[in-house]
Amino acid sequence: MSPLMDVAGLQARLADHRRTVLLDVRWALGDPHGYRHYLQEHLPGAVFVDLQTELAAAGVPERGRHPLPAAEDFEASARRWGINDGDVVVAYDDSGNMAAARAWWMLRDAGLAEVYLLDGGLAAWRAAGLALEAGPVVPAPGGVHLTHGKMPALDATAASAWPEAGLLLDARAGERYRGEFEPIDPRAGHIPGAISAPTSENVDGSGRFLPPDSLRRRFESLGVRDGRQVAVYCGSGVTAAHEVAALEIAGFAAALYPGSFSMWSNHPDLPVATGAEPGGRGAQPSGNTDAGRGSVAL
Protein backbone atom coordinates (compact mmCIF):
# COMPACT_ATOMS: atom_id res chain seq x y z
CA MET A 1 0.00 0.00 0.00
CA SER A 2 1.42 3.37 -1.00
CA PRO A 3 1.79 5.89 1.83
CA LEU A 4 0.44 8.60 -0.49
CA MET A 5 -3.00 9.90 -1.43
CA ASP A 6 -3.18 12.54 -4.13
CA VAL A 7 -5.46 15.56 -4.14
CA ALA A 8 -7.90 14.00 -6.62
CA GLY A 9 -8.23 10.87 -4.50
CA LEU A 10 -8.87 12.82 -1.33
CA GLN A 11 -11.32 15.14 -3.07
CA ALA A 12 -13.26 12.10 -4.32
CA ARG A 13 -13.38 10.56 -0.85
CA LEU A 14 -14.71 13.76 0.68
CA ALA A 15 -17.24 14.28 -2.13
CA ASP A 16 -18.55 10.74 -1.54
CA HIS A 17 -18.72 11.40 2.22
CA ARG A 18 -16.47 8.43 2.92
CA ARG A 19 -15.19 8.46 6.48
CA THR A 20 -11.84 10.29 6.41
CA VAL A 21 -9.96 11.90 9.29
CA LEU A 22 -7.79 14.81 8.15
CA LEU A 23 -4.82 15.82 10.28
CA ASP A 24 -3.08 19.17 9.81
CA VAL A 25 0.48 18.83 11.15
CA ARG A 26 1.76 22.34 10.56
CA TRP A 27 5.25 22.50 12.11
CA ALA A 28 8.72 23.51 11.02
CA LEU A 29 11.98 23.98 12.88
CA GLY A 30 12.21 27.67 13.74
CA ASP A 31 8.49 28.34 13.21
CA PRO A 32 6.46 27.84 16.40
CA HIS A 33 3.26 29.28 14.90
CA GLY A 34 1.75 26.19 13.29
CA TYR A 35 -1.56 26.56 15.08
CA ARG A 36 -1.85 30.20 14.03
CA HIS A 37 -1.28 29.19 10.40
CA TYR A 38 -3.87 26.43 10.78
CA LEU A 39 -6.49 28.85 12.11
CA GLN A 40 -5.98 31.09 9.09
CA GLU A 41 -6.70 28.30 6.59
CA HIS A 42 -6.80 24.53 6.44
CA LEU A 43 -8.52 21.72 4.56
CA PRO A 44 -12.23 21.47 5.39
CA GLY A 45 -12.71 19.43 8.54
CA ALA A 46 -9.00 19.05 9.27
CA VAL A 47 -7.97 18.74 12.93
CA PHE A 48 -4.80 20.44 14.11
CA VAL A 49 -2.07 18.15 15.46
CA ASP A 50 0.55 19.72 17.71
CA LEU A 51 3.82 17.99 16.89
CA GLN A 52 5.58 19.33 19.96
CA THR A 53 3.03 18.06 22.49
CA GLU A 54 1.09 15.29 20.73
CA LEU A 55 3.67 13.62 18.49
CA ALA A 56 6.49 13.89 21.02
CA ALA A 57 7.11 13.72 24.72
CA ALA A 58 9.00 16.50 26.46
CA GLY A 59 12.52 16.68 25.09
CA VAL A 60 15.36 15.82 27.44
CA PRO A 61 19.01 15.60 26.38
CA GLU A 62 19.42 11.88 26.96
CA ARG A 63 16.33 11.09 24.82
CA GLY A 64 16.60 13.83 22.21
CA ARG A 65 14.47 16.80 21.24
CA HIS A 66 11.38 14.87 20.14
CA PRO A 67 11.24 11.51 21.93
CA LEU A 68 8.24 9.35 21.14
CA PRO A 69 5.37 9.81 23.61
CA ALA A 70 4.11 6.99 25.81
CA ALA A 71 1.72 4.68 23.95
CA GLU A 72 -1.21 5.59 26.18
CA ASP A 73 -0.62 9.31 25.67
CA PHE A 74 -0.53 8.88 21.92
CA GLU A 75 -3.74 6.86 21.94
CA ALA A 76 -5.41 9.63 23.95
CA SER A 77 -4.27 12.20 21.37
CA ALA A 78 -5.55 10.08 18.48
CA ARG A 79 -8.92 9.83 20.18
CA ARG A 80 -8.99 13.62 20.60
CA TRP A 81 -8.45 13.88 16.85
CA GLY A 82 -11.61 11.84 16.37
CA ILE A 83 -10.01 8.63 15.11
CA ASN A 84 -11.92 5.35 15.42
CA ASP A 85 -10.82 1.82 14.65
CA GLY A 86 -10.80 1.23 10.89
CA ASP A 87 -10.74 4.91 9.93
CA VAL A 88 -8.84 6.20 6.92
CA VAL A 89 -6.49 8.97 8.05
CA VAL A 90 -4.81 11.53 5.78
CA ALA A 91 -2.11 13.79 7.21
CA TYR A 92 -0.62 16.87 5.57
CA ASP A 93 1.37 20.02 6.29
CA ASP A 94 2.65 23.01 4.35
CA SER A 95 6.27 21.88 4.07
CA GLY A 96 6.30 18.93 1.68
CA ASN A 97 5.04 16.53 4.39
CA MET A 98 8.28 16.85 6.33
CA ALA A 99 6.29 17.16 9.57
CA ALA A 100 3.17 15.21 8.59
CA ALA A 101 5.30 12.13 7.99
CA ARG A 102 5.86 11.93 11.75
CA ALA A 103 2.11 11.43 12.28
CA TRP A 104 2.02 8.93 9.40
CA TRP A 105 4.84 6.85 10.89
CA MET A 106 3.50 6.96 14.45
CA LEU A 107 -0.02 5.92 13.45
CA ARG A 108 1.35 3.12 11.30
CA ASP A 109 3.60 2.06 14.17
CA ALA A 110 0.53 2.09 16.42
CA GLY A 111 -1.28 -0.38 14.17
CA LEU A 112 -3.58 1.82 12.10
CA ALA A 113 -3.78 0.20 8.68
CA GLU A 114 -4.86 3.02 6.36
CA VAL A 115 -2.78 6.12 6.99
CA TYR A 116 -1.73 8.36 4.10
CA LEU A 117 0.18 11.52 3.37
CA LEU A 118 -1.54 14.03 1.10
CA ASP A 119 1.01 14.27 -1.69
CA GLY A 120 2.07 17.90 -2.00
CA GLY A 121 0.24 18.82 1.18
CA LEU A 122 -1.64 22.07 1.60
CA ALA A 123 0.17 23.63 -1.37
CA ALA A 124 -1.18 20.96 -3.75
CA TRP A 125 -4.73 21.38 -2.43
CA ARG A 126 -4.44 25.14 -2.80
CA ALA A 127 -2.96 24.84 -6.31
CA ALA A 128 -5.98 22.74 -7.35
CA GLY A 129 -8.24 25.67 -6.42
CA LEU A 130 -10.12 23.65 -3.80
CA ALA A 131 -11.94 25.08 -0.83
CA LEU A 132 -10.20 25.92 2.42
CA GLU A 133 -11.70 26.96 5.72
CA ALA A 134 -10.55 28.91 8.76
CA GLY A 135 -10.95 28.48 12.49
CA PRO A 136 -10.66 25.47 14.78
CA VAL A 137 -12.21 22.04 14.20
CA VAL A 138 -13.11 20.07 17.34
CA PRO A 139 -14.29 16.58 16.39
CA ALA A 140 -16.33 14.17 18.45
CA PRO A 141 -13.90 12.02 20.46
CA GLY A 142 -12.89 8.79 18.78
CA GLY A 143 -12.45 5.37 20.30
CA VAL A 144 -9.44 4.02 18.41
CA HIS A 145 -7.40 1.29 20.07
CA LEU A 146 -3.70 1.66 19.33
CA THR A 147 -0.73 -0.54 20.01
CA HIS A 148 3.01 -0.04 19.52
CA GLY A 149 5.90 -1.49 17.57
CA LYS A 150 4.37 -2.24 14.17
CA MET A 151 7.08 -0.30 12.33
CA PRO A 152 10.78 -1.23 12.62
CA ALA A 153 12.77 1.06 14.90
CA LEU A 154 16.15 1.06 16.56
CA ASP A 155 17.98 2.64 19.46
CA ALA A 156 21.45 4.12 19.82
CA THR A 157 23.10 0.75 20.40
CA ALA A 158 21.65 -0.65 17.18
CA ALA A 159 22.45 2.57 15.28
CA SER A 160 26.07 2.28 16.37
CA ALA A 161 26.38 -1.24 14.95
CA TRP A 162 24.06 -0.78 11.96
CA PRO A 163 26.64 0.32 9.33
CA GLU A 164 28.53 -2.95 9.87
CA ALA A 165 25.64 -5.05 8.55
CA GLY A 166 23.34 -2.62 6.77
CA LEU A 167 22.97 0.92 5.53
CA LEU A 168 22.37 3.89 7.83
CA LEU A 169 21.03 7.02 6.11
CA ASP A 170 21.33 10.53 7.55
CA ALA A 171 18.32 12.53 6.34
CA ARG A 172 19.57 15.96 7.42
CA ALA A 173 20.96 18.67 5.15
CA GLY A 174 24.44 17.93 3.83
CA GLU A 175 26.12 20.74 5.76
CA ARG A 176 24.84 19.33 9.04
CA TYR A 177 25.98 15.83 8.09
CA ARG A 178 29.45 17.14 7.29
CA GLY A 179 29.59 19.12 10.53
CA GLU A 180 29.91 22.49 8.83
CA PHE A 181 26.79 23.88 10.49
CA GLU A 182 24.86 22.73 13.54
CA PRO A 183 22.13 25.14 14.68
CA ILE A 184 20.68 23.22 17.61
CA ASP A 185 22.39 20.00 18.68
CA PRO A 186 25.42 20.01 21.02
CA ARG A 187 27.90 18.41 18.60
CA ALA A 188 28.27 18.76 14.85
CA GLY A 189 28.74 15.89 12.43
CA HIS A 190 27.16 12.48 11.88
CA ILE A 191 26.99 8.95 13.23
CA PRO A 192 30.11 7.15 11.98
CA GLY A 193 29.33 5.00 8.97
CA ALA A 194 26.14 6.86 8.02
CA ILE A 195 25.52 7.95 4.43
CA SER A 196 24.29 11.47 3.65
CA ALA A 197 20.78 11.31 2.15
CA PRO A 198 19.02 14.68 2.59
CA THR A 199 15.25 14.43 2.86
CA SER A 200 14.89 17.49 0.63
CA GLU A 201 15.90 15.34 -2.34
CA ASN A 202 12.80 13.14 -1.92
CA VAL A 203 10.50 15.83 -3.32
CA ASP A 204 10.22 18.09 -6.33
CA GLY A 205 9.94 21.87 -6.31
CA SER A 206 6.23 21.75 -5.48
CA GLY A 207 6.72 19.54 -2.43
CA ARG A 208 5.40 16.37 -4.08
CA PHE A 209 7.31 13.13 -3.71
CA LEU A 210 9.34 12.12 -6.73
CA PRO A 211 7.90 9.24 -8.79
CA PRO A 212 8.65 5.74 -7.43
CA ASP A 213 11.20 4.93 -10.13
CA SER A 214 13.06 8.19 -9.52
CA LEU A 215 13.15 7.56 -5.77
CA ARG A 216 14.32 4.01 -6.37
CA ARG A 217 17.20 5.22 -8.54
CA ARG A 218 18.10 7.80 -5.92
CA PHE A 219 18.27 5.29 -3.09
CA GLU A 220 20.01 2.66 -5.17
CA SER A 221 22.73 5.23 -5.93
CA LEU A 222 23.23 5.49 -2.15
CA GLY A 223 23.63 1.76 -1.76
CA VAL A 224 20.09 0.65 -0.96
CA ARG A 225 19.35 -2.81 -2.33
CA ASP A 226 16.58 -5.36 -1.98
CA GLY A 227 17.42 -7.54 1.01
CA ARG A 228 19.83 -5.02 2.56
CA GLN A 229 18.81 -3.68 5.95
CA VAL A 230 18.27 0.09 5.91
CA ALA A 231 17.76 2.54 8.77
CA VAL A 232 17.26 6.30 8.83
CA TYR A 233 17.87 9.10 11.31
CA CYS A 234 17.72 12.90 11.17
CA GLY A 235 18.00 15.64 13.78
CA SER A 236 15.21 14.59 16.13
CA GLY A 237 13.31 11.78 14.41
CA VAL A 238 10.80 13.97 12.54
CA THR A 239 12.01 14.29 8.95
CA ALA A 240 13.56 10.81 9.08
CA ALA A 241 9.99 9.52 8.98
CA HIS A 242 9.65 11.31 5.63
CA GLU A 243 12.63 9.35 4.33
CA VAL A 244 11.07 6.09 5.58
CA ALA A 245 7.96 7.00 3.56
CA ALA A 246 10.07 7.84 0.48
CA LEU A 247 11.87 4.52 0.77
CA GLU A 248 8.52 2.73 1.01
CA ILE A 249 7.32 4.50 -2.15
CA ALA A 250 10.50 3.26 -3.82
CA GLY A 251 9.80 -0.30 -2.70
CA PHE A 252 12.21 -0.52 0.25
CA ALA A 253 11.51 -1.11 3.93
CA ALA A 254 13.49 0.94 6.46
CA ALA A 255 13.81 1.25 10.21
CA LEU A 256 13.66 4.59 12.04
CA TYR A 257 16.00 5.75 14.78
CA PRO A 258 13.53 7.98 16.69
CA GLY A 259 16.12 9.54 19.01
CA SER A 260 18.26 10.52 16.01
CA PHE A 261 21.21 12.89 16.21
CA SER A 262 19.74 15.06 18.97
CA MET A 263 19.88 12.01 21.24
CA TRP A 264 23.16 10.65 19.90
CA SER A 265 25.06 13.94 20.18
CA ASN A 266 24.02 14.38 23.82
CA HIS A 267 25.89 11.22 24.84
CA PRO A 268 29.63 12.06 25.05
CA ASP A 269 30.56 8.38 24.92
CA LEU A 270 29.07 8.03 21.44
CA PRO A 271 31.42 8.99 18.58
CA VAL A 272 30.70 11.71 16.04
CA ALA A 273 32.35 11.93 12.62
CA THR A 274 32.74 15.01 10.45
CA GLY A 275 33.40 15.53 6.76
CA ALA A 276 31.81 14.18 3.61
CA GLU A 277 32.81 10.53 4.05
CA PRO A 278 30.81 8.05 6.19
CA GLY A 279 33.81 7.36 8.45
CA GLY A 280 34.63 11.04 8.47
CA ARG A 281 37.15 12.60 10.81
CA GLY A 282 37.22 12.38 14.57
CA ALA A 283 35.32 9.10 14.91
CA GLN A 284 36.38 7.15 17.96
CA PRO A 285 35.29 3.69 19.16
CA SER A 286 32.11 4.08 21.16
CA GLY A 287 32.78 1.39 23.73
CA ASN A 288 29.86 0.42 25.96
CA THR A 289 26.90 2.77 26.20
CA ASP A 290 23.56 2.80 27.97
CA ALA A 291 22.04 5.23 25.48
CA GLY A 292 19.06 3.02 24.78
CA ARG A 293 18.87 -0.77 24.74
CA GLY A 294 16.42 -3.24 23.27
CA SER A 295 16.62 -2.41 19.58
CA VAL A 296 14.18 -3.72 17.02
CA ALA A 297 15.76 -4.40 13.63
CA LEU A 298 14.11 -5.09 10.29
Side-chain angles (χ1 to χ4, degrees):
M1 182 183 73
S2 171
L4 300 180
M5 183 177 293
D6 61 18
V7 166
L10 178 57
Q11 183 186 18
R13 285 193 64 85
L14 298 180
D16 292 342
H17 303 289
R18 284 178 279 173
R19 171 78 180 168
T20 308
V21 178
L22 296 177
L23 302 180
D24 185 307
V25 195
R26 218 83 62 90
W27 178 87
L29 187 64
D31 182 0
H33 306 300
Y35 186 59
R36 183 188 304 172
H37 302 321
Y38 162 83
L39 291 176
Q40 291 171 348
E41 61 174 10
H42 54 79
L43 269 65
V47 179
F48 181 73
V49 174
D50 190 323
L51 186 145
Q52 292 283 127
T53 62
E54 295 181 305
L55 300 182
V60 290
E62 61 270 21
R63 295 188 64 206
R65 283 182 277 115
H66 293 115
L68 295 175
E72 59 270 22
D73 293 338
F74 183 53
E75 181 179 81
S77 294
R79 290 180 175 186
R80 282 196 301 274
W81 305 332
I83 300 176
N84 291 301
D85 292 332
D87 277 350
V88 171
V89 178
V90 181
Y92 72 90
D93 58 30
D94 201 18
S95 54
N97 284 316
M98 298 294 175
R102 171 79 166 203
W104 168 83
W105 188 91
M106 288 179 62
L107 287 167
R108 286 276 302 276
D109 182 63
L112 209 61
E114 290 201 71
V115 189
Y116 301 93
L117 295 167
L118 176 62
D119 197 16
L122 179 64
W125 187 268
R126 198 188 283 127
L130 299 172
L132 294 165
E133 65 181 26
V137 173
V138 181
V144 69
H145 297 87
L146 298 180
T147 180
H148 173 67
K150 298 298 184 181
M151 296 285 278
L154 59 149
D155 59 14
T157 303
S160 179
W162 199 272
E164 298 175 11
L167 191 68
L168 182 62
L169 301 180
D170 184 318
R172 297 172 302 158
E175 60 267 25
R176 293 185 69 191
Y177 170 88
R178 295 186 296 271
E180 298 165 0
F181 174 69
E182 182 46 63
I184 192 165
D185 292 323
R187 290 189 286 166
H190 60 268
I191 297 175
I195 304 293
S196 181
T199 305
S200 59
E201 296 180 17
N202 295 332
V203 297
D204 62 19
S206 70
R208 290 180 172 87
F209 280 90
L210 298 177
D213 56 345
S214 297
L215 286 171
R216 191 170 183 90
R217 286 194 298 271
R218 183 206 173 198
F219 290 122
E220 285 178 341
S221 74
L222 297 172
V224 180
R225 299 287 186 273
D226 290 326
R228 188 178 190 185
Q229 294 193 114
V230 181
V232 186
Y233 74 92
C234 60
S236 67
V238 175
T239 57
H242 188 280
E243 192 121 293
V244 172
L247 282 155
E248 188 168 309
I249 293 165
F252 300 112
L256 175 72
Y257 174 23
S260 285
F261 198 71
S262 63
M263 176 184 178
W264 183 277
S265 62
N266 270 291
H267 289 269
D269 56 331
L270 293 174
V272 170
T274 58
E277 296 302 316
R281 301 183 299 274
Q284 300 294 328
S286 61
N288 294 325
T289 175
D290 293 322
R293 298 284 180 180
S295 61
V296 179
L298 282 173

